[in-house]
């Protein structure tokens, strides 16, 4: 393959990535504003500034766009979470960073938070599909961190890591939902400290 061919292929990949990114951004905004079921591919195309047919060059359907939004966001979050965990040795500090990242990420993008908290939960079918995807990996990270803390003696051993991981996720999840629905404007990230204050109160060895 010549240098010109390699350069051409690189340029094509860049265009594909840019178009997919534009469609992702547009879809998040449209889904958050109109609701997933009330949105049309034409709405996404208009928001992205492209023709309707162009969307179908990258995604087969509106469902696939929603899946892609979830998959990409979870992959990015999990990758960043693992990088952060690698820098920390203390299980308690690891859980604290996980909670902070959870609220920081969604707190920085209200539209994405709405899609995650509301639109992805619009049907049992969606919930089952997404629960089997990156969500399970995310819970596993929390679960293993809790188990690690039990092994080191930082956390109580008479609690189940699987249950605790769901409790922590559920509390953070509720903070995001309340933030979306609240008529008050306030930063979401600091709520991680409030959640962990209660969570650790029942987890740490006395």
């Amino acid at each position: 393959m010549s240098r010109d061919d390699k350069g051409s292929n690189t340029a094509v990949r860049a265009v594909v990535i840019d178009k997919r990114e534009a469609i992702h951004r547009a879809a998040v905004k449209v889904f958050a504003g109109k609701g997933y079921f009330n949105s049309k591919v034409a709405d996404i195309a208009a928001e992205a500034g492209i023709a309707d047919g162009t969307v179908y060059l990258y995604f087969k359907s509106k469902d696939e766009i929603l899946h892609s939004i979830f998959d990409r966001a979870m992959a990015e979050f999990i990758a960043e979470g693992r990088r952060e965990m690698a820098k920390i040795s203390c299980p308690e500090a690891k859980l604290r960073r996980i909670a902070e990242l959870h609220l920081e990420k969604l707190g920085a993008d209200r539209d994405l938070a709405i899609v995650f908290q509301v639109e992805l939960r619009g049907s049992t079918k969606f919930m089952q599909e997404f629960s089997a995807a990156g969500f399970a990996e995310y819970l596993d990270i929390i679960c293993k961190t809790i188990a690690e803390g039990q092994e080191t003696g930082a956390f109580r051993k008479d609690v189940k890591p699987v249950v605790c991981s769901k409790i922590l996720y559920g509390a953070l999840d509720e903070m995001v939902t309340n933030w979306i629905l609240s008529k008050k404007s306030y930063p979401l990230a600091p709520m991680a400290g409030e959640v962990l204050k209660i969570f650790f109160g029942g987890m740490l060895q006395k």
Side-chain angles (χ1 to χ4, degrees):
M1 182 181 291
S2 68
R3 290 183 179 178
D4 288 343
D5 289 337
K6 289 181 179 179
S8 177
N9 288 339
T10 299
V12 169
R13 284 196 295 271
V15 170
V16 170
I17 292 172
D18 287 346
K19 278 289 195 300
R20 288 181 67 89
E21 176 64 24
I23 294 169
H24 270 145
R25 288 198 305 268
V28 168
K29 186 172 183 179
V30 170
F31 291 161
K34 291 189 172 185
Y36 174 78
F37 292 105
N38 293 325
S39 300
K40 300 177 181 178
V41 169
D43 298 326
I44 297 171
E47 180 64 34
I50 58 178
D52 295 7
T54 302
V55 175
Y56 290 106
L57 294 176
Y58 299 91
F59 300 97
K60 295 178 182 178
S61 64
K62 190 174 69 170
D63 280 9
E64 187 174 327
I65 296 174
L66 185 63
H67 273 270
S68 183
I69 289 170
F70 175 83
D71 290 343
R72 188 185 68 163
M74 286 302 297
E76 290 177 353
F77 177 75
I78 288 172
E80 183 171 357
R82 291 192 184 283
R83 286 194 298 270
E84 292 288 318
M85 296 304 99
K87 303 174 186 176
I88 305 170
S89 58
C90 172
E92 180 183 349
K94 286 182 179 180
L95 283 185
R96 186 173 298 281
R97 189 61 189 131
I98 289 172
E100 290 170 348
L101 278 174
H102 186 125
L103 299 190
E104 284 172 8
K105 288 297 181 181
L106 292 178
D109 190 336
R110 191 178 186 85
D111 285 344
L112 182 62
I114 291 172
V115 172
F116 261 65
Q117 300 302 118
V118 181
E119 302 310 321
L120 284 172
R121 306 174 192 209
S123 75
T124 302
K125 173 177 175 288
F126 283 162
M127 290 294 289
Q128 290 173 337
E129 291 173 351
F130 295 126
S131 292
F135 176 66
E137 185 177 356
Y138 178 34
L139 280 182
D140 187 57
I141 291 173
I142 299 175
C143 185
K144 287 180 177 177
T145 302
I146 292 172
E148 178 187 347
Q150 290 178 321
E151 291 175 3
T152 62
F155 300 151
R156 291 167 44 183
K157 293 185 178 181
D158 62 337
V159 294
K160 296 181 179 179
V162 172
V163 175
C164 291
S165 64
K166 292 178 180 179
I167 290 172
L168 179 55
Y169 175 84
L172 295 171
D173 188 64
E174 186 62 22
M175 290 300 102
V176 180
T177 298
N178 285 337
W179 177 71
I180 290 171
L181 299 178
S182 177
K183 295 180 180 179
K184 298 179 181 179
S185 177
Y186 61 90
L188 179 59
M191 293 298 101
E194 295 302 312
V195 169
L196 290 171
K197 188 186 301 181
I198 298 171
F199 185 75
F200 285 145
M203 287 285 296
L204 296 176
Q205 290 281 19
K206 303 299 182 181

